[in-house]
Amino acid sequence: MLVNRVFPPDRGATGRCAADLSGRLAAAGWRVTVVADGTGPSEAPPGVTVIRTGGTLAGQGVPPVRNYLYALCRLIGRALRLPRHDVVVTMTDPPLLAVAGPLLAARYGAASIHWSHDLYPALLPVVGARLPGPLMRMVEYATEKALRRHDAVVAIGRCMARRITAIGVPPERLAVLPNWPDSRIHPVERASNPFRVEHGLGDRFTVTYSGNLGLAHPMAGVLDAAETLGRTDPDIVFLLIGDGRGHRAVADAVKERGLRNVRFLPFQPPERLAESLSAADLHLATMEPRAEGLLVPSKVAGALAAGRPCLFLGPAGSEAAALVDGCGLALDPLDGAEIAAAIRNYARNSARCAEEGRRALAVTAGWNADIAARRFAALAEAVRKPASLVRVPKRGLPHA
């Protein structure tokens, strides 16, 4: 059983990863149930049963923390009413879902795996969600205790693994499985890319930020760079694709500064990801330095899968910085002058863009959903409790 707030067609990287993994586990012989929030149909892979809580994904006018709490309660309540499963996998949407893993596992006599995409509650202040001191300490204690009780914890980066080890999870129960790019992403030739034609990009060097514009993704340095390049290199265009809690502030800043070289587009449908990501000559990914080890921006892997170099604007010690080594640069997210200089260098060096694009493809070729699913399945099989240890009816295929 896999528990997560979103699942396709809901938007979100965790939902897409859950769909990729669950479908491949089902193809490998597991009977997979996914518990997700919300209502309506789901895009379930063959062999995967998706059960919705019937709740609302986001209440209008309700603070995010309260929305997450309501979703957490619905997910736990629905999962507790299901038949027994061999392995319970909790994710990190909503925050604090890690606490539910040992509870659900105890209910079933099952093994529990926590798949950590974000490390809560430490990430809460970074994304603007502040709890009173005593409550924060209580939540930290409960989460850390729960993580130590899981049979296995999966981190999506080595920087995150270090954080998890520091709170007492034994290294032998910790696995590092980076997120993989969407399998629909592949390079599309620049000259014949319909997305570039549709949006009138012509021959302009295009710098793209594609994904969530959240509070953990600082954009001040990018806007400073855009302002500088607007004066010195007006043929360079910035394309910001996506939405998020920080979108309005960025849009307002662009308007106030009069940045005519910055364009906005909404999230693109999955079937157009290859075109939209390949429309870029250079990608940007940003991360608040305080978030090192608390998250790994998934947009980096997507950019590299499109065969494009990427500037990671964030801490040098993070997994994302290591990922762009040789096919991009890691820079200070607040240093607009440095960012502008790097972009200008790429714009004037097409050979560098092409070579680093080839290296980007080589990086992503060695890690995809199929490889990750095989490793996850091996982990699930390793922690699955033998039938002789639990009082349940005889079963056939293993359940996840």
Side-chain angles (χ1 to χ4, degrees):
M1 174 169 57
L2 194 151
V3 187
N4 191 55
R5 186 176 64 95
V6 296
F7 193 84
D10 308 329
R11 186 185 299 154
T14 58
R16 191 265 303 172
C17 287
D20 285 348
L21 177 66
S22 62
R24 286 162 175 79
L25 288 177
W30 291 76
R31 292 179 182 171
V32 184
T33 301
V34 175
V35 181
D37 203 23
T39 59
S42 299
E43 296 173 1
V48 177
T49 300
V50 179
I51 296 176
R52 296 281 185 174
T53 65
T56 303
L57 284 173
Q60 293 294 326
V62 180
V65 171
R66 191 175 300 176
N67 260 326
Y68 284 138
L69 182 60
Y70 291 162
L72 180 65
C73 292
R74 288 192 295 266
L75 289 167
I76 295 174
R78 190 67 186 88
L80 284 172
R81 298 198 301 271
L82 295 180
R84 182 186 181 274
H85 288 69
D86 298 305
V87 182
V88 174
V89 180
T90 51
M91 298 178 73
T92 45
D93 186 1
L96 313 185
L97 193 54
V99 178
L103 172 67
L104 296 172
R107 154 75 173 82
Y108 294 118
S112 64
I113 298 175
H114 182 62
W115 189 4
S116 181
H117 284 250
D118 305 283
L119 198 54
Y120 290 106
L123 187 59
L124 289 175
V126 180
V127 297
R130 301 191 178 276
L131 300 177
L135 179 58
M136 184 67 171
R137 288 190 291 273
M138 182 177 70
V139 171
E140 286 175 338
Y141 173 79
T143 304
E144 292 173 7
K145 184 177 180 180
L147 284 174
R148 291 192 291 267
R149 291 178 59 199
H150 281 274
D151 294 286
V153 177
V154 175
I156 63 171
R158 289 163 292 183
C159 52
M160 183 179 290
R162 291 192 291 268
R163 290 254 196 176
I164 294 173
T165 301
I167 63 178
V169 175
E172 62 270 18
R173 279 196 265 142
L174 185 60
V176 178
L177 298 179
N179 280 348
W180 51 90
D182 192 311
S183 59
R184 291 165 290 200
I185 301 172
H186 58 85
V188 176
E189 183 63 34
R190 186 182 194 271
S192 58
N193 189 332
F195 194 89
R196 289 189 65 89
V197 174
E198 179 181 337
H199 294 286
L201 296 174
D203 291 328
R204 299 184 71 181
F205 187 86
T206 304
V207 183
T208 298
Y209 179 100
S210 179
N212 185 49
L213 279 165
L215 300 183
H217 306 291
M219 295 295 289
V222 173
L223 297 181
D224 289 343
E227 187 168 3
T228 297
L229 294 172
R231 296 191 300 267
T232 63
D233 298 78
D235 285 338
I236 296 175
V237 62
F238 289 74
L239 193 60
L240 307 185
I241 304 175
D243 207 336
R245 293 176 63 193
H247 185 276
R248 176 172 291 182
V250 174
D252 289 345
V254 167
K255 184 176 181 180
E256 289 171 7
R257 297 186 186 207
L259 302 181
R260 297 187 178 183
N261 57 343
V262 179
R263 302 182 187 177
F264 292 90
L265 288 175
F267 275 112
Q268 298 301 298
E271 60 271 15
R272 297 211 69 185
L273 274 177
E275 293 177 5
S276 67
L277 295 180
S278 297
D281 295 293
L282 177 68
H283 276 271
L284 302 176
T286 66
M287 190 175 89
E288 162 67 48
R290 292 178 298 160
E292 181 177 343
L294 304 179
L295 59 82
V296 178
S298 59
K299 57 180 68 66
V300 175
L304 301 186
R308 301 296 185 266
C310 181
L311 296 185
F312 172 64
L313 312 179
S318 68
E319 187 75 15
L323 195 60
V324 301
D325 185 25
C327 48
L329 295 172
L331 304 174
D332 182 344
L334 300 180
D335 193 337
E338 185 181 40
I339 297 168
I343 293 173
R344 186 183 296 113
N345 183 281
Y346 276 96
R348 296 176 180 177
N349 194 339
S350 59
R352 179 183 184 181
C353 288
E355 175 57 28
E356 293 191 7
R358 286 190 288 270
R359 293 179 192 167
L361 288 176
V363 169
T364 57
W367 186 252
N368 57 38
D370 293 332
I371 299 170
R374 286 196 294 270
R375 288 185 56 185
F376 207 107
L379 177 64
E381 190 61 51
V383 300
R384 185 164 67 98
K385 293 176 171 52
S388 59
L389 298 182
V390 292
R391 298 177 181 176
V392 294
K394 183 178 179 180
R395 63 173 184 272
L397 296 175
H399 290 59

